[in-house]
Amino acid sequence: MTQALLFDVFGTCVDWRSAIARAVTKALPGVDALVFADAWRGEYDPAMARIRAGDRGYVALDDLHRENLHRVAERFGVRAPDALAQAWERLDPWPDTVAGLHAIATHALIAPCSNGSIALMARLAKHALLPWHCILGADIARDYKPKPAVYLAACDALRLPPEAVMMVAAHNNDLAAARALGLKTAFVARPTEYGPNQTADLVAEADWDIIAPDFLVLADRLVDAR
Amino acid sequence: MTQALLFDVFGTCVDWRSAIARAVTKALPGVDALVFADAWRGEYDPAMARIRAGDRGYVALDDLHRENLHRVAERFGVRAPDALAQAWERLDPWPDTVAGLHAIATHALIAPCSNGSIALMARLAKHALLPWHCILGADIARDYKPKPAVYLAACDALRLPPEAVMMVAAHNNDLAAARALGLKTAFVARPTEYGPNQTADLVAEADWDIIAPDFLVLADRLVDAR
């Protein structure tokens, strides 16, 4: 039986694109905010890739966000204030996220297993009222998803075997990494995470244990499975 | 300004003695449950002392509780089920705890800085509805309070300097350790933690930054100090 659910956060629980674009509009008037937001997010995976490969020691995502901000700002010919990087702490949940998490939290442990740091996830939990029981993810593993260590460190911290834990994500590759380690998997599509022209992760690409349109349906399916 | 509050948990947020005695009554009929509870708690500090001293590597409190349970049961001439150790995951909050934490959580980050593991604190949060933003404490430092590393690892995880963080405890020695590192301090007396004959920690033994009778008054004092 699933005793704990781990959640991807950026894209799965919260809509990063809208909030980042709003913050960019405010801090950098004259810049195309959505294009800037996409470019900033585009630097996310390459920055982590160096750390996953061992070319750089573990650096928290807060710092990578700040470094990436300045790299992208230079490309846009503007100077960005350091504080703009804190916009990642103030993202808004999808409409079903908070109610869905509350429903799931009555039956099972819930925690983010995100590449965000404890500091970032705690501030986001405060802002978006995400009712986590604890924060797991990159910081406790000192590495980045989809490296196996991150999922395994989360299970270890909960003192649960992988088969008692379910990973929830809007990204097929995140679930593939979790399934390979024995975790259960749930896919919730977020087809506008990358805007109206999103092409990836529109549908489940494998027979994940649960495929649900939102967190409320996920909560119901979990109860049905008990 | 205080941006985050760290809370001691056993005794400060929850009444361990009553719930442990109830669980002992159920699992070990015929044993004097309060005496057993006190004896079990009595093994807590000596078990951690070996780890603090470096005589033993870090072992999570869940395991120490189980080891101590069997040691005490032997002394009482009974055999205890391993599962009884999970009683520490189902302690009840003091009457003011949950409402106080909710009030504080609207203004600042809140997290336990306890010697309980992430697993134990997460399950206790689920049981007692403690609205933490994240779980800090022994597990992330891999050492036990009052060792400085535990308080400092908590501040680091929040990316805050010690002076922006306040330690809240019903135990003067916990606050003394935190103050020595530059954290702010708040004392909330829990004069029946050890039962009606408690002799220690009945009053604040230093000029802690805040001295409050419960978490609701603590919440008010924090707002006044803003």
Side-chain angles (χ1 to χ4, degrees):
Chain A
M1 214 194 72
T2 299
Q3 295 187 48
L5 289 94
L6 303 176
F7 291 78
D8 173 62
V9 174
F10 301 120
T12 301
C13 296
V14 298
D15 168 18
W16 53 267
R17 194 170 184 260
S18 309
I20 294 298
R22 276 201 311 277
V24 169
T25 298
K26 210 167 156 185
L28 305 173
V31 160
D32 185 326
L34 283 169
V35 175
F36 192 100
D38 290 340
W40 194 0
R41 183 65 172 177
E43 297 290 325
Y44 172 72
D45 204 64
M48 294 187 298
R50 288 186 55 204
I51 293 168
R52 286 190 205 108
D55 295 338
R56 184 180 184 186
Y58 177 71
V59 175
L61 189 59
D62 314 67
D63 296 313
L64 299 182
H65 275 153
R66 196 187 59 249
E67 294 173 6
N68 294 343
L69 168 63
H70 294 306
R71 180 173 302 115
V72 172
E74 197 178 324
R75 210 185 301 155
F76 278 70
V78 294
R79 280 181 67 95
D82 272 353
L84 180 52
Q86 291 161 18
W88 292 93
E89 300 170 354
R90 292 185 295 266
L91 308 175
D92 295 326
W94 298 110
D96 54 287
T97 296
V98 175
L101 290 179
H102 273 284
I104 296 165
T106 62
H107 301 293
L109 295 170
I110 60 166
C113 183
S114 159
N115 283 330
S117 68
I118 291 175
L120 177 46
M121 286 294 117
R123 288 176 173 82
L124 186 57
K126 179 172 181 291
H127 169 82
L129 303 176
L130 306 177
W132 306 124
H133 294 122
C134 62
I135 305 285
L136 304 172
D139 255 13
I140 63 162
R142 298 188 66 80
D143 207 341
Y144 282 110
K145 290 192 300 181
K147 287 278 285 285
V150 185
Y151 308 92
L152 295 176
C155 296
D156 282 353
L158 295 172
R159 299 172 67 91
L160 290 173
E163 58 271 23
V165 179
M166 178 175 280
M167 182 74 204
V168 182
H171 310 121
N172 287 281
N173 70 328
D174 204 352
L175 299 182
R179 174 175 275 186
L181 301 165
L183 286 83
K184 301 278 188 296
T185 51
F187 179 81
V188 177
R190 299 299 192 185
T192 60
E193 176 188 355
Y194 287 90
N197 304 317
Q198 180 168 329
T199 54
D201 290 318
L202 295 174
V203 296
E205 289 162 14
D207 60 335
W208 309 122
D209 297 292
I210 295 179
I211 299 171
D214 61 39
F215 283 11
L216 295 163
V217 176
L218 171 62
D220 288 342
R221 299 269 175 86
L222 288 164
V223 172
D224 294 345
R226 288 170 75 87
Chain B
M1 213 195 70
T2 298
Q3 295 188 45
L5 288 95
L6 302 176
F7 291 78
D8 174 61
V9 173
F10 302 120
T12 301
C13 296
V14 298
D15 168 17
W16 54 267
R17 193 170 183 259
S18 308
I20 294 298
R22 277 201 311 277
V24 169
T25 299
K26 211 167 157 185
L28 305 174
V31 161
D32 186 326
L34 283 169
V35 175
F36 192 99
D38 289 341
W40 194 359
R41 182 65 172 178
E43 297 290 325
Y44 172 72
D45 205 65
M48 293 186 300
R50 289 185 53 205
I51 293 168
R52 285 190 205 108
D55 295 338
R56 186 180 184 187
Y58 177 71
V59 175
L61 189 59
D62 314 67
D63 296 313
L64 299 181
H65 275 152
R66 196 187 60 248
E67 293 173 8
N68 294 344
L69 168 64
H70 294 306
R71 180 173 299 115
V72 172
E74 198 178 324
R75 211 185 299 154
F76 278 69
V78 295
R79 280 183 65 95
D82 272 353
L84 179 52
Q86 290 161 18
W88 292 92
E89 300 168 354
R90 292 185 293 268
L91 308 175
D92 295 327
W94 298 110
D96 54 287
T97 296
V98 176
L101 290 179
H102 274 284
I104 297 165
T106 61
H107 300 293
L109 293 170
I110 61 167
C113 184
S114 160
N115 282 330
S117 68
I118 291 175
L120 178 45
M121 286 295 117
R123 287 176 173 83
L124 186 56
K126 178 173 181 291
H127 169 82
L129 303 177
L130 307 177
W132 306 124
H133 293 122
C134 63
I135 305 287
L136 304 172
D139 254 12
I140 63 162
R142 298 186 68 80
D143 207 339
Y144 282 110
K145 290 192 300 180
K147 288 277 285 285
V150 184
Y151 308 92
L152 295 176
C155 296
D156 282 351
L158 294 172
R159 300 172 68 91
L160 289 172
E163 60 269 23
V165 178
M166 178 175 280
M167 182 74 204
V168 182
H171 310 121
N172 286 282
N173 70 328
D174 204 351
L175 298 183
R179 174 175 275 187
L181 300 165
L183 286 83
K184 300 279 187 296
T185 51
F187 179 81
V188 177
R190 298 300 193 186
T192 61
E193 176 188 356
Y194 286 90
N197 304 317
Q198 180 168 328
T199 54
D201 290 318
L202 295 174
V203 295
E205 289 162 14
D207 61 336
W208 309 123
D209 297 292
I210 296 179
I211 299 171
D214 62 38
F215 283 10
L216 295 164
V217 176
L218 171 61
D220 288 343
R221 297 269 176 87
L222 287 165
V223 173
D224 294 345
R226 288 169 75 86

